[in-house]
Amino acid sequence: MKGLKNIALIVLVTLAYTGYGQQYTAKAYEFYQAQQFDSAKVWLDSAVVSNERFNSQTWQLRGLVYRKLESPENSTYRDISIESFVQARNVDSTDKYKEKIDGYLYNTIIRYYNDAVTSMNEGDLDGSELAYSAYKNKYKKYIDAGFDFKTNDIEYYNALGGNYLKMVAELTGEEKAKMVAKGVHYYEIVLEYDPNQFMPNFNVGIMYYNQGADLIMNMDPLTPIEDVPAIEARAQEGFQKALPYLQHANKLDPSRTDVIEAITGCYYGLWGSENEDYIKYQTMLDERNLPGLLEKISADPENKTVLKELIRIYSTTLKDEAQYKKYSEILNKLED
Amino acid sequence: MSKKLYIVITALILCSWSMMPPEVTQMKDTRSPVKALYLYNFATLIDWPSDYRKGEFVIAVLGDKEGVYENLKSKYEGKAIGSQEIVVRSFSSVTQFDKAHILYVTPSESSSISSLSTKVKGKSTLLVTEKDGYLNKGAAINFVLSGTSQKFEISKSNAEKHKLVIADRLLKLASKVVE
């Protein structure tokens, strides 16, 4: 019905204005003001194939109307809107409307960025990346070819990497591996811009560490014994990959205990509990955790988990025979 | 919505995402699942004398309850070795220990090896340790690290003393076999 209405309107417009030579743009503007954008569009499409195509305002209005009519069903309308504004700029030989048109273009192109944020919010990460690329390409092409996207890219790809990281936590197997690869890829873009960003270093390290650790932790208990070395090797590949990122994150923010914990996990997974590096980081970790554990045990003297942890600390990294005996005796009494 | 306000809002959204806490940062005990799997395989690849092939199949852990014990308990208890159901037990001292098909001694309890050797004398208990040189102290199998890989070494003679027969398949996988 709407189609028929439009055809009738086109016929009417063509008959009226071919015959009498009045302005299509003026009529379209009336419809635009009345918020009848479908009708305005029809008049403007006729205008741009008439002599009115040399009028910048005709193209500007067409751009505005197409932008108003943009919807998921009419997804090409945004591009038509942009093309119209570009054409408006081309025919504006005296640059009379330059600032206005640039504003229109900016506000239209920024919609791709808006889409990127919305898609990310909805979990459509591929769609988000496509929209962000479109935003950048069009911004460079139509607004500022020399614009430096470094700050935007760092912000966007950090967020995208973070969303992949969030997704990775809910997946297993091949799907998980694919998402890890994508997350790492986007964080690597950030690190290319600025290798001293803490979060990408930390998150890439954690993704690799978890990828390795999960292979062992989720190993089928009935795995043939001959297959174990290969699984171990794949897990350790993850630990090896994680280490440089985590070490760098540790340099960037030495106060982060979670980074030290992950580094400790890597060394433990690679070389076991007698390794020098493992002991170094485990000691560091224990030094930081000890005050909290002592506080917990004074509040809850029968907390077996804390008691065991204190016994481990006092018998391994921060050796203290008297403390070790004290807490062992308490634990033994509780377990008797 | 004004251009500036819009950008501030989207930047805030992106910033909040990039600050999201990472997945799980807690260190995981990635050695224990492998040791537990090996212990289960020892149960399937070693022959016990006929009087040990009845009733429950007991895998005992002397020492820390975390790690290997937890893995054995959650992944292998209730599974079968032949017609025997696996039961996983934990002991905190040598005096508590009575009888088991396999006894794994955690590194923290390694110093108990001599009293344990006396305790399991004449019994068909597979003594598994995790300390350098412990095959010389009576263990039939000792966990070792070979490079980054979790391996085990076997003393055939110590196994034979307890009337245990180790399958060739297991011997081939050992990093060292002492006759």
Side-chain angles (χ1 to χ4, degrees):
Chain A
M1 214 31 213
K2 202 176 171 186
L4 277 175
K5 206 175 146 189
N6 283 342
I7 291 165
L9 197 63
I10 290 168
V11 172
L12 190 70
V13 169
T14 311
L15 286 175
Y17 287 85
T18 316
Y20 301 100
Q22 292 190 33
Q23 289 186 348
Y24 296 98
T25 308
K27 193 69 187 165
Y29 188 64
E30 279 174 31
F31 282 116
Y32 176 77
Q33 282 189 311
Q35 300 204 346
Q36 293 178 35
F37 303 115
D38 277 316
S39 303
K41 171 183 166 288
V42 174
W43 289 93
L44 285 161
D45 285 343
S46 298
V48 296
V49 292
S50 76
N51 279 341
E52 292 173 35
R53 70 181 179 277
F54 301 109
N55 181 354
S56 176
Q57 285 180 301
T58 301
W59 289 104
Q60 287 172 44
L61 187 58
R62 186 169 183 258
L64 290 173
V65 166
Y66 269 90
R67 198 170 74 183
K68 282 279 184 195
L69 289 170
E70 186 204 333
S71 66
E73 296 77 41
N74 295 319
S75 56
T76 57
Y77 281 17
R78 189 185 298 168
D79 277 340
I80 297 173
S81 170
I82 290 170
E83 283 160 19
S84 299
F85 291 133
V86 171
Q87 197 55 31
R89 198 162 58 183
N90 291 343
V91 298
D92 178 27
S93 52
T94 57
D95 282 348
K96 187 178 171 188
Y97 303 106
K98 189 183 180 308
E99 201 178 323
K100 202 173 172 189
I101 296 167
D102 284 350
Y104 290 151
L105 267 171
Y106 180 87
N107 287 329
T108 312
I109 288 169
I110 199 86
R111 287 182 172 206
Y112 287 100
Y113 186 74
N114 190 16
D115 286 350
V117 175
T118 308
S119 298
M120 197 185 283
N121 208 18
E122 289 167 354
D124 175 13
L125 304 187
D126 287 335
S128 173
E129 215 275 329
L130 278 175
Y132 184 69
S133 295
Y135 162 68
K136 276 172 66 179
N137 291 338
K138 289 182 195 293
Y139 195 98
K140 280 184 176 174
K141 190 172 175 186
Y142 300 120
I143 298 176
D144 182 358
F147 187 80
D148 183 3
F149 277 94
K150 182 182 169 181
T151 311
N152 307 56
D153 280 353
I154 287 176
E155 193 176 74
Y156 176 76
Y157 288 117
N158 249 333
L160 192 61
N163 272 271
Y164 274 105
L165 185 66
K166 190 174 135 197
M167 208 174 250
V168 158
E170 293 151 11
L171 297 171
T172 53
E174 283 298 301
E175 271 304 299
K176 184 168 186 151
K178 268 190 211 168
M179 293 300 138
V180 167
K182 282 190 173 184
V184 169
H185 169 72
Y186 293 119
Y187 276 132
E188 289 288 5
I189 293 176
V190 178
L191 292 174
E192 262 178 48
Y193 279 119
D194 180 4
N196 292 328
Q197 288 260 325
F198 174 81
M199 282 312 273
N201 275 296
F202 178 49
N203 286 342
V204 169
I206 290 296
M207 275 203 260
Y208 279 137
Y209 171 70
N210 280 332
Q211 197 177 31
D214 287 351
L215 284 170
I216 303 276
M217 305 310 282
N218 302 331
M219 182 168 59
D220 179 352
L222 302 181
T223 301
I225 192 168
E226 289 84 356
D227 295 349
V228 175
I231 295 170
E232 254 192 311
R234 276 173 55 213
Q236 287 167 354
E237 205 179 297
F239 304 150
Q240 291 279 19
K241 281 183 183 172
L243 267 176
Y245 292 98
L246 293 170
Q247 298 278 25
H248 197 54
N250 185 38
K251 267 187 203 160
L252 293 169
D253 188 354
S255 71
R256 291 281 296 251
T257 305
D258 44 6
V259 180
I260 296 171
E261 191 157 8
I263 295 173
T264 310
C266 286
Y267 281 121
Y268 179 72
L270 283 167
W271 306 104
S273 59
E274 285 176 18
N275 171 261
E276 211 175 282
D277 289 314
Y278 164 74
I279 294 168
K280 177 183 149 190
Y281 283 97
Q282 184 64 63
T283 306
M284 227 186 270
L285 204 55
D286 290 343
E287 278 167 349
R288 288 186 187 200
N289 290 335
L290 188 59
L293 289 168
L294 291 171
E295 239 174 67
K296 274 187 193 167
I297 208 66
S298 78
D300 179 9
E302 296 191 354
N303 187 325
K304 285 187 187 177
T305 313
V306 177
L307 281 169
K308 282 175 190 170
E309 194 57 5
L310 287 170
I311 292 165
R312 182 194 61 75
I313 290 173
Y314 287 128
S315 63
T316 55
T317 52
L318 307 174
K319 283 183 183 165
D320 184 327
E321 191 62 28
Q323 295 290 346
Y324 168 72
K325 274 187 181 167
K326 176 185 155 187
Y327 291 112
S328 297
E329 276 169 20
I330 299 172
L331 184 67
N332 287 341
K333 273 183 195 165
L334 288 173
E335 290 194 331
D336 277 345
Chain B
M1 194 183 296
S2 78
K3 195 160 59 181
K4 274 184 187 164
L5 182 61
Y6 173 83
I7 289 169
V8 168
I9 290 170
T10 52
L12 281 175
I13 293 169
L14 290 179
C15 274
S16 65
W17 280 334
S18 64
M19 297 305 284
M20 277 193 319
E23 195 181 346
V24 179
T25 56
Q26 205 178 15
M27 186 184 131
K28 293 163 189 167
D29 179 0
T30 49
R31 292 282 168 191
S32 293
V34 176
K35 288 177 209 161
L37 189 141
Y38 280 156
L39 286 166
Y40 169 74
N41 275 277
F42 299 160
T44 63
L45 296 169
I46 292 174
D47 264 344
W48 269 260
S50 56
D51 51 330
Y52 275 75
R53 289 192 217 148
K54 291 173 275 188
E56 294 168 332
F57 189 98
V58 180
I59 303 178
V61 175
L62 176 67
D64 308 326
K65 268 191 167 182
E66 294 77 28
V68 174
Y69 172 75
E70 278 175 354
N71 271 277
L72 284 168
K73 192 90 181 159
S74 63
K75 295 175 183 170
Y76 298 99
E77 190 159 70
K79 290 199 164 34
I81 302 296
S83 60
Q84 294 172 280
E85 190 180 307
I86 294 177
V87 172
V88 181
R89 292 202 179 123
S90 134
F91 300 97
S92 55
S93 68
V94 181
T95 47
Q96 285 181 338
F97 173 71
D98 177 24
K99 188 186 171 187
H101 291 76
I102 297 175
L103 174 61
Y104 165 65
V105 185
T106 67
S108 64
E109 287 298 320
S110 293
S111 55
S112 315
I113 187 74
S114 33
S115 42
L116 266 176
S117 295
T118 315
K119 194 141 193 180
V120 297
K121 205 172 180 182
K123 293 178 180 171
S124 289
T125 297
L126 178 80
L127 198 54
V128 182
T129 56
E130 193 177 344
K131 195 88 178 167
D132 275 352
Y134 267 45
L135 288 187
N136 296 328
K137 296 195 174 183
I141 296 182
N142 187 44
F143 282 129
V144 288
L145 274 181
S146 169
T148 58
S149 192
Q150 185 65 58
K151 297 274 185 188
F152 52 88
E153 49 190 22
I154 295 175
S155 165
K156 268 177 93 175
S157 55
N158 284 349
E160 281 160 10
K161 277 181 202 163
H162 296 273
K163 298 176 191 161
L164 301 170
V165 182
I166 299 176
D168 284 347
R169 193 178 149 200
L170 192 58
L171 291 169
K172 278 180 196 163
L173 293 166
S175 60
K176 184 171 92 177
V177 176
V178 178
E179 290 297 329

